[in-house]
Amino acid sequence: MAETVVQTDHERGAAPAPPPRGRRGRRTVLVASALVVVAAVAVVGALGLGGGGADEGSSAPPRSGSTVPVTRTTLTERTTVDGQLGYGTEIPLPVKATGTVTWLPAEGTTVERGGTLLRVDDRPVVLLYGTLPMYRELGLTAGSQEGTRQETGTEGDNQDSGDQGRTDETSGAPDPSGAPDPSGSPTPGGAGAGGTGGTLRGMDVLQFESDLAALGYTGFTVDEEFTDLTARAVKRWQKTLGLPQTGTVGIGDVVYSAGKVRIGHASVRLGSPATDDVLTYTGTSRKVVVNASAAEDSWAVRGAAVTIGLPDGKSVKGEVASVGKSATAPEEGGGEGGSAAPTVPVTITIKDQKSVGRLESAPVTVEYVGRERADVLTVPVAALVALAEGGHGLETADGRFVAVKTGLFADGRVEVSGSAVREGMNVRIPE
């Protein structure tokens, strides 16, 4: 008799029937919900929820992340503002020469003591160093004290202008150099070392004689008296310049400045009449000008050290040299919503001019020190965590959270304080 063999689907190798679709979908949702709950618990632990007081610390399993020590140091807040590298504001040269401009220097030319600034009626206007302006003619005659040259032809004044220091031995006329007459008494109008009435004296004479001596024209005493010996030195100087050797310096012959100058732009062309502002100039040292906010210029104190960032990424040291006393209102519509704050110009000098390279003009940044906190506990800013009950805290290496009070933020670190914070303790930087 034949046997009937019954095989199950499993024995035949058939695949088991899939579970209902609705049950599988519910299982997926439950798994996802479990993951969210786990993540939420981790966040709650980081925020200090469900634990005791923040100072006591809440227990939580240690989490991944590097640890850093709390260190004691000095925090310095640094602020960066925009500035402009250049030679400073151009100033008109106080040219007093009258006539026609016959030669002008090229813009950017450097002129030193004794150099020619321009030529008027083909006469050089020479740069000398000093703080007093040229306000009168310098010479031997008494008229020079009034800023005019008198040639009256009277006795003792009708000498050759090219040899004012010569004694008229044939006529016996008084010697303008101050030499004594045959009777041995000093000449009333003399201008020599022993002269009185006609001798030109003053600080401007001392300033001019100092320059003359510095240029190598000596043979006289550098003092406040313009003597016959001074006039002789002037004649030698005039001969070098190709001028008539009068021994007298005209009011338009020289221009004084504090030092060598860099020529700016000319306001006239060749052939035009000379004017007071025929040429502008600046100093020869590059500097930076910052238009600082008048409300935030407490850092701009004369002598304050700053760091200047150049366009090539290099940094050079600078020092605040001057701060403007008048605030300038911004242009209409400037700043956000047209409400930019008034500014004051801050000039910053650069002692090491070579460190700037060949740059003559460029936008730069200026970094200055704002606030500073010395000998304080600090941690990296990234170590701070926000506590659920408010404020900030730190997570210790063993997973506890302690509350801290924050202070100055600077250089990626923050000042922290609190009863549970001590120097050297390790805190975690959350990933």
Side-chain angles (χ1 to χ4, degrees), residues 288 303-308 315-321 347-352 355 366-367:
V288 172
V306 298
T307 301
I308 301 166
S315 296
V316 299
K317 295 180 179 179
E319 183 178 292
V320 175
T347 302
I348 298 167
T349 56
I350 304 171
K351 186 175 182 180
D352 184 6
S355 65
V366 175
E367 183 183 80

Side-chain angles (χ1 to χ4, degrees), residues 48-416:
L49 294 174
D55 286 341
E56 296 175 1
S58 59
S59 60
R63 298 183 294 110
S64 59
S66 59
T67 60
V68 293
V70 176
T71 59
R72 187 176 295 277
T73 186
T74 296
L75 276 186
T76 302
E77 179 187 62
R78 300 180 185 276
T79 303
T80 300
V81 294
D82 294 329
Q84 181 65 38
L85 175 70
Y87 289 92
T89 304
E90 293 185 2
I91 304 171
L93 274 167
V95 176
K96 290 184 170 58
T98 58
T100 302
V101 177
T102 53
W103 179 83
L104 289 168
E107 185 173 349
T109 302
T110 297
V111 182
E112 301 184 1
R113 175 162 42 199
T116 300
L117 294 167
L118 72 160
R119 296 182 76 92
V120 178
D121 289 348
D122 204 29
R123 290 173 60 92
V125 177
V126 180
L127 177 70
L128 297 180
Y129 295 169
T131 56
L132 278 175
M134 187 71 173
Y135 65 92
R136 62 177 177 175
E137 189 177 76
L138 301 180
L140 289 174
T141 63
S144 296
Q145 294 179 338
E146 304 298 328
T148 59
R149 183 170 178 79
Q150 298 178 357
E151 294 185 2
T152 61
T154 55
E155 185 178 15
D157 288 334
N158 59 352
Q159 288 186 314
D160 188 322
S161 62
D163 193 11
Q164 294 180 4
R166 185 182 60 194
T167 303
D168 191 343
E169 297 177 355
T170 57
S171 65
D175 180 9
S177 67
D181 63 15
S183 65
S185 59
T187 305
T196 54
T199 301
L200 193 66
R201 295 181 176 85
M203 292 302 297
D204 58 333
V205 175
L206 175 62
Q207 179 175 270
F208 173 76
E209 289 186 342
S210 299
D211 277 296
L212 200 59
L215 291 172
Y217 299 92
T218 57
F220 59 92
T221 301
V222 177
D223 54 19
E224 296 181 19
E225 289 190 35
F226 196 104
T227 67
D228 177 62
L229 296 178
T230 307
R232 292 178 184 180
V234 169
K235 290 178 183 179
R236 296 196 298 272
W237 176 53
Q238 290 172 328
K239 182 178 181 180
T240 302
L241 295 174
L243 293 171
Q245 300 169 48
T246 63
T248 299
V249 185
I251 193 171
D253 290 346
V254 301
V255 170
Y256 287 102
S257 77
K260 56 185 179 180
V261 301
R262 181 179 183 274
I263 299 298
H265 71 276
S267 63
V268 301
R269 295 183 179 182
L270 296 182
S272 300
T275 60
D276 291 343
D277 58 351
V278 59
L279 274 178
T280 62
Y281 76 100
T282 65
T284 57
S285 297
R286 286 159 293 182
K287 59 193 69 175
V288 172
V289 176
V290 172
N291 289 322
S293 169
E296 301 175 358
D297 64 348
S298 58
W299 62 273
V301 179
R302 187 173 182 179
V306 298
T307 301
I308 301 166
L310 302 178
D312 59 4
K314 295 181 180 178
S315 296
V316 299
K317 295 180 179 179
E319 183 178 292
V320 175
S322 64
V323 182
K325 297 185 182 299
S326 299
T328 302
E331 294 183 4
E332 230 177 282
E336 295 183 4
S339 58
T343 61
V344 293
V346 178
T347 302
I348 298 167
T349 56
I350 304 171
K351 186 175 182 180
D352 184 6
Q353 290 286 302
K354 292 183 179 179
S355 65
V356 187
R358 297 182 178 181
L359 279 176
E360 292 191 351
S361 178
V364 296
T365 59
V366 175
E367 183 183 80
Y368 62 87
V369 174
R371 294 180 297 166
E372 190 172 77
R373 293 281 291 165
D375 194 31
V376 293
L377 296 177
T378 68
V379 296
V381 175
L384 289 178
V385 294
L387 299 178
E389 58 267 34
H392 294 89
L394 299 173
E395 181 186 0
T396 63
D398 59 4
R400 294 180 303 110
F401 289 86
V402 295
V404 295
K405 181 180 178 181
T406 59
L408 180 64
F409 286 76
D411 297 330
R413 300 185 70 84
V414 57
E415 174 190 357
V416 293

Side-chain angles (χ1 to χ4, degrees), residues 14-27:
R21 292 179 61 85
R23 183 179 300 173
R24 184 178 181 181
R26 287 195 297 271
R27 183 178 299 172

